[in-house]
Amino acid sequence: MMLACQRFVSAVRNSRTLSRHVTTWSPVGAAFNAQQTKVDLFQKNVGLFGVPGLSTPAGFEVAQQRALRETEQLVETACNNPPGALTVETFDQLSDSLCKVADLADFVKVGHPDPAFRDAAEKACINIGTVVERLNTNVELCRSLKNLLDNKEVLDSLDPDTRRVAELFMFDFEISGIHLDESKRGKAVSLNVNLLDLNNEFLNGTHLPNRIEKTALPEHIRHCFSIDGNSIQIGGLHADSPDELVREAAYKIFLFPNSSLLLCLDDLLTCRNELAKLVGYESFAHRALNGTMAKTPVCFCFAETVMKFLELLTDKLSDRTAKDFNLMRDMKMKMNSRSTELMPWDHSYFSSAVRAERYKIDPSLYSPYFSLGACMEGLNMLFSQLLGVSFQNEQPMAGEVWSEEVRKLAVVHETEGLLGYIYCDFFRRPDKPHQDCHFTIQGGRLKKDGEYQHPVVVLMLSLPPPTRSTPTLLNPGMMENLFHEMGHAMHSMLGRTRYQHVTGTRCSTDFAEVPSILMEFFATDYRVVNQFARHYQTGQPLPKSMVSRLCESKRICGAADTQLQVFYAALDQVYHGKPQNQSTTDILKKMQEKFYGLPYVPNTAWQLRFSHLIGYGAKYYSYLMSRAIASMVWRQCFQKDPFNRDMGERYRREMLAHGGSKEPMLMVQGMLQSSPTVEELVDALVADLDTDSVTCRDDSS
C-alpha cells in the first residue's frame, strides 16, 4: 500500500576545425572521461546520500526506528482527522517515510561494496516490508480512506491527482485482503510475509553456480570454467563461447535442476495463487495486471488478453522466426559444427555470427568513438534541446557515496532550476552485480512548506573504469544501455508529481519501460549519434556508414530474439495463471514447444534461472508492450526530427510528468492522439523488424 518502492555541448566544440589528438570536453564529458577526484578525507562524513547516521551500517537500525515512530504518528493523524485532501497527504507522507528507508536499503543491499552495509540494508528491507504488510491490513487506517472515498461531496472536491492517489491506496488495501474477516486478514499477512522469504530464497538461488566433478568434462574444455579442487563450478551459460562443447556443457550443467529450488518455486507460485484467491482474484496474474495498461478497457483486459497479445505476435512472427532459425542453422553448418541441429545454447552465438558475417560488425571498431564522456555529452545535448534540461557535475562529500568512482550529477532545467540528483555508479568492481539498472532512492513530492522534495536516483552500469591514459570506451550495446537507463532517470527527474507514491517510475510496470526503450531509438539515430560520437584521440566523427551497418545488423535474427522474449512472457503468464497440476518443468517444456521453436533439453530447468519471476511476476510481457508503445511514439513524434522541442514538451507534458498519477493508457493516448489496439501494438513490433533503416538516416524522408 504505502510502499511504492521497488527497477551539452558536443564532444568537440567545432568538428570542422578539429586537429588530430586535440579534443575539448565540457565539464560533464571531462568528469566521465577522467579518473574521479578523491574526496577530502578530513571532511566530516555526511552519510550515504547525505543522510545523517548512515556513515555506518548501524545507521540503518536508527533510520528504521525513526521511520517507525513517524509511521505511528501519521497513522494516528490519518485515523483521527476528518476525511479530505489532508487524508491523502498523510497517507503519502506515511509512504514517503517508509520508502526513504526501504528504497535506499534496496539499493545498498546489492550495490554497496561493504558486506556489513549490505547485510544491514537487507534486514532493513525485510523489516520495513513486514511493517507495510501489516499496515495494508490495518482496518482503522483503511476506514479513514474509505470514509473519504464514500463521501461524494468530499470526493468531488478533490483534484484528479489526489483522487487517483486515494484510489491507488485503497487498491493496495483491497489486494492485501482488507475486506476479509479477521482470521483471513491474518492469513493474508502471513502469506505476504512468507512470500518475502520465498522471494529472497528463489532470487538468491537463481544466481548460485552448479558444480560437477572435474572428470565429467573433457580435459580440453575444463580451463574455460572455474576449477575448485576436484570439481568445476559453472555460474553462467557461456552463450558467446565459440566452442560448441563449452556452450553445451554450460547449458546442461548450469540449468541442471536443483531439487530444493524447484520446491521453493512451487511454494512461491502456490503462495502467490493462494493469496490472490484469498483476496478475490481468479489468479495471481489477474491480481498483478489490475492497474496496468493490460487491464485498461481502451486497450485490452486482464490475463487472457495478454496471452492473446503474445499469441498474435507469435503468429505474425512465425515466418520471420523460421527464416532466422534457418539462417542460424546454415551458419552452424558453414562453421563445420559437429551437429547440424540448432539447439538453445546456439541461439545467441550463431545469431551474432550471422550479423558479424553480413555486416562486419566489430564492436572494438566502434568503441573509440563512444568514450563515456562523449556519450554523456550526447545525452546532455539531447536533453537540453529536447527538454531544456542539462547536467552539472558535483563533487560528493565524504561518506556520501559508496565508492570513489561514483559520479554525482545535478539535473537542472533552464527555467525551473534544480530538478534532482543522479548518482552514476558506472564502473565494475568486485562483488558488484553485472547488471544495468535504475534505483529510486528518494521520490519527488510537494512538501507541506511548498518546497519540492527533489528526486534522487542511482544508475548502475558495469563498465570498465578509465585509466590515466584512456577513458572508458563503450561498445554499441553499452552505449544503448546507457541511453536506456538514462531514460528511466529522466522519467524520475521530470515526473514532478504532487505525491511521491506516484512519482517518476512509480507507475505500472508495462508503462515504466516506455521512456527507457524510447531512448534506444534516439541512440541509434545517426542525427543524434553524429552530435557526440567522436574518436577519443583524433576527434574524427563516427562514419555514417558504420551507424547504418549497426542499425541494419540489429534486424538480423530480430524475429527469433523477439520470439524468445515472447516465450519468457508466456511462461510467466502460465506460471501465474490458474494452477496447471503439472510440474514447472513440464509447463516449461510445453510452452517452449509452443512459443519458441528450439527443442527442450532433457534434465534442464531454465525456469530456476528466471530471476524476473520475482520482480516481474505475471508482468514480464511489459518489455514487449513497452517496446511496441515506444516504437509508435518514435515513429509518430520523433522520427522526422529527434530534436523537436515541441514534441519534447508534449512528451514531458503527456507522459513523463504524471508518473503513476494518471491511467497509463491515457498518457499514451495523450501522446499519440489515439488509443492503440492489440493489433497495432503487434504491428509496431513487427514493423521494427521489417522497415528500412530509417533511424540511421540524417534526413526526414
Side-chain angles (χ1 to χ4, degrees):
M1 168 204 90
M2 322 296 166
L3 209 47
C5 327
Q6 321 292 75
R7 260 219 48 245
F8 150 162
V9 186
S10 64
V12 186
R13 298 290 183 184
N14 188 341
S15 61
R16 295 180 182 174
T17 59
L18 281 173
S19 51
R20 292 180 65 83
H21 306 293
V22 177
T23 305
T24 304
W25 300 105
S26 75
V28 170
F32 284 88
N33 265 2
Q35 293 180 319
Q36 179 75 306
T37 304
K38 293 187 181 295
V39 173
D40 183 354
L41 297 177
F42 293 101
Q43 283 183 349
K44 179 183 177 183
N45 189 317
V46 299
L48 288 172
F49 299 101
V51 177
L54 285 185
S55 55
T56 66
F60 275 104
E61 179 64 30
V62 176
Q64 286 177 72
Q65 294 305 318
R66 183 171 59 247
L68 294 179
R69 287 194 299 271
E70 291 175 2
T71 296
E72 291 177 4
Q73 295 168 359
L74 290 166
V75 167
E76 186 175 348
T77 299
C79 292
N80 293 326
N81 281 347
L86 180 60
T87 304
V88 183
E89 291 169 11
T90 304
F91 269 68
D92 192 63
Q93 282 181 268
L94 185 52
S95 174
D96 185 55
S97 180
L98 293 169
C99 282
K100 278 181 178 175
V101 179
D103 282 338
L104 194 155
D106 194 46
F107 164 70
V108 171
K109 74 178 184 181
V110 297
H112 203 288
D114 185 340
F117 266 100
R118 294 200 300 269
D119 290 345
E122 181 153 7
K123 289 175 184 174
C125 285
I126 293 171
N127 292 340
I128 295 294
T130 302
V131 171
V132 170
E133 295 304 337
R134 288 182 180 140
L135 288 173
N136 284 343
T137 52
N138 185 312
V139 176
E140 275 193 71
L141 191 59
C142 178
R143 187 179 295 121
S144 70
L145 191 62
K146 193 172 188 303
N147 289 341
L148 180 153
L149 293 170
D150 288 345
N151 189 322
K152 187 177 184 306
E153 183 179 346
V154 172
L155 200 59
D156 290 344
S157 71
L158 302 180
D159 62 86
D161 284 1
T162 301
R163 181 170 181 162
R164 174 162 169 80
V165 171
E167 291 168 348
L168 289 173
F169 277 126
M170 181 54 74
F171 172 68
D172 288 336
F173 275 123
E174 290 171 350
I175 64 172
S176 295
I178 195 69
H179 53 288
L180 304 173
D181 62 37
E182 187 174 351
S183 65
K184 289 182 177 178
R185 279 200 309 275
K187 186 175 182 181
V189 171
S190 177
L191 286 169
N192 274 306
V193 171
N194 189 32
L195 275 174
L196 289 175
D197 292 334
L198 289 169
N199 288 346
N200 282 329
E201 181 183 347
F202 183 76
L203 195 57
N204 290 334
T206 61
H207 302 299
L208 290 177
N210 275 342
R211 290 176 176 272
I212 192 170
E213 288 295 316
K214 190 164 59 175
T215 54
L217 289 183
E219 188 173 354
H220 72 279
I221 68 168
R222 293 174 191 170
H223 70 280
C224 298
F225 308 109
S226 176
I227 299 176
D228 183 12
N230 291 322
S231 64
I232 287 178
Q233 183 172 279
I234 298 182
L237 292 174
H238 292 252
D240 297 326
S241 172
D243 190 319
E244 183 179 359
L245 192 57
V246 170
R247 297 196 307 273
E248 179 180 353
Y251 190 94
K252 290 180 175 179
I253 297 168
F254 185 60
L255 300 184
F256 190 79
N258 177 306
S259 57
S260 63
L261 204 56
L262 281 169
L263 287 174
C264 176
L265 179 57
D266 286 340
D267 290 345
L268 174 65
L269 296 176
T270 299
C271 193
R272 284 178 169 177
N273 182 67
E274 190 175 352
L275 178 62
K277 300 276 282 187
L278 182 65
V279 299
Y281 287 89
E282 192 173 329
S283 70
F284 185 82
H286 286 78
R287 178 182 184 264
L289 294 176
N290 207 335
T292 66
M293 288 196 288
K295 77 93 187 172
T296 309
V298 294
C299 183
F300 49 92
C301 307
F302 294 102
E304 290 80 1
T305 346
V306 171
M307 288 302 293
K308 175 187 172 184
F309 168 66
L310 298 174
E311 288 168 351
L312 181 59
L313 182 55
T314 297
D315 184 56
K316 286 286 186 79
L317 290 176
S318 60
D319 290 343
R320 297 168 179 82
T321 302
K323 181 180 177 182
D324 286 352
F325 284 142
N326 284 333
L327 286 174
M328 294 181 212
R329 286 189 187 94
D330 291 345
M331 179 59 69
K332 189 172 184 179
M333 292 176 65
K334 187 175 181 179
M335 296 177 72
N336 298 315
S337 171
R338 60 193 177 87
S339 168
T340 58
E341 184 179 9
L342 195 67
M343 299 300 291
W345 55 77
D346 293 325
H347 184 145
S348 176
Y349 180 75
F350 285 111
S351 62
S352 297
V354 172
R355 292 186 189 105
E357 181 186 64
R358 288 201 173 191
Y359 293 100
K360 306 294 187 261
I361 301 297
D362 181 352
S364 67
L365 298 179
Y366 287 81
S367 294
Y369 297 92
F370 293 142
S371 70
L372 180 56
C375 294
M376 291 302 295
E377 289 194 348
L379 287 161
N380 203 16
M381 171 277 302
L382 177 62
F383 293 143
S384 178
Q385 293 189 48
L386 204 60
L387 298 162
V389 170
S390 61
F391 299 144
Q392 293 180 4
N393 186 59
E394 289 196 2
Q395 180 67 24
M397 302 290 286
E400 185 179 352
V401 295
W402 48 101
S403 168
E404 64 180 20
E405 297 300 328
V406 175
R407 271 62 163 176
K408 180 183 179 183
L409 293 177
V411 181
V412 181
H413 189 271
E414 60 190 21
T415 60
E416 299 170 30
L418 179 66
L419 295 180
Y421 294 99
I422 303 173
Y423 288 83
C424 301
D425 187 0
F426 285 171
F427 305 115
R428 298 170 188 155
R429 62 176 176 271
D431 296 327
K432 180 183 175 182
H434 291 285
Q435 59 187 34
D436 299 341
C437 45
H438 163 278
F439 292 88
T440 296
I441 302 300
Q442 175 175 277
R445 73 181 181 99
L446 187 64
K447 297 190 289 187
K448 277 189 173 182
D449 60 8
E451 292 290 316
Y452 198 78
Q453 176 174 288
H454 296 302
V456 177
V457 305
V458 172
L459 293 190
M460 179 188 284
L461 303 178
S462 187
L463 305 176
T467 66
R468 290 185 177 181
S469 59
T470 308
T472 292
L473 302 178
L474 283 63
N475 63 38
M478 291 174 178
M479 184 271 286
E480 280 189 47
N481 287 347
L482 172 63
F483 271 64
H484 178 103
E485 297 303 333
M486 196 59 77
H488 284 309
M490 296 311 293
H491 195 183
S492 293
M493 295 297 110
L494 292 168
R496 307 288 279 182
T497 53
R498 179 176 176 182
Y499 301 103
Q500 76 83 37
H501 190 68
V502 290
T503 189
T505 57
R506 300 201 207 282
C507 56
S508 71
T509 307
D510 52 4
F511 182 80
E513 291 294 330
V514 173
S516 54
I517 292 174
L518 180 61
M519 286 299 297
E520 295 176 24
F521 287 89
F522 286 95
T524 51
D525 188 292
Y526 182 71
R527 294 162 295 180
V528 176
V529 175
N530 187 49
Q531 296 286 319
F532 69 89
R534 300 286 185 273
H535 197 287
Y536 78 100
Q537 290 175 314
T538 68
Q540 293 301 309
L542 178 67
K544 184 183 175 184
S545 61
M546 290 179 66
V547 181
S548 297
R549 288 205 312 275
L550 185 64
C551 292
E552 291 163 7
S553 73
K554 289 165 70 68
R555 299 202 318 276
I556 297 297
C557 299
D561 293 343
T562 301
Q563 192 59 52
L564 182 59
Q565 293 300 311
V566 173
F567 160 50
Y568 296 161
L571 181 68
D572 175 45
Q573 285 296 305
V574 173
Y575 277 167
H576 291 101
K578 296 177 183 177
Q580 300 289 302
N581 297 318
Q582 292 179 291
S583 72
T584 56
T585 302
D586 286 339
I587 294 171
L588 170 78
K589 182 178 179 181
K590 182 172 70 174
M591 299 308 290
Q592 185 164 333
E593 290 171 353
K594 180 177 180 180
F595 284 101
Y596 187 18
L598 296 185
Y600 166 77
V601 179
N603 295 316
T604 63
W606 177 84
Q607 73 273 23
L608 300 183
R609 302 299 181 178
F610 194 9
S611 59
H612 282 87
L613 287 174
I614 301 304
Y616 284 80
K619 296 180 183 179
Y620 192 80
Y621 76 93
S622 297
Y623 287 106
L624 291 166
M625 178 175 284
S626 292
R627 183 163 293 281
I629 296 291
S631 176
M632 296 179 77
V633 171
W634 171 258
R635 292 175 194 281
Q636 294 183 34
C637 304
F638 295 110
Q639 182 172 291
K640 185 176 181 181
D641 178 8
F643 305 110
N644 187 311
R645 182 63 179 268
D646 290 338
M647 279 299 174
E649 292 297 338
R650 184 207 281 187
Y651 177 48
R652 180 184 181 184
R653 182 176 66 250
E654 298 292 346
M655 297 188 82
L656 297 181
H658 303 286
S661 66
K662 192 173 182 179
E663 286 281 358
M665 194 52 75
L666 293 179
M667 291 189 273
V668 174
Q669 182 179 342
M671 189 68 197
L672 297 177
Q673 310 289 289
S674 65
S675 300
T677 63
V678 179
E679 290 74 17
E680 287 171 333
L681 292 171
V682 168
D683 288 344
L685 290 171
V686 175
D688 282 342
L689 301 173
D690 289 346
T691 186
D692 287 336
S693 173
V694 290
T695 57
C696 300
R697 297 177 181 170
D698 58 359
D699 55 49
S700 58
S701 59

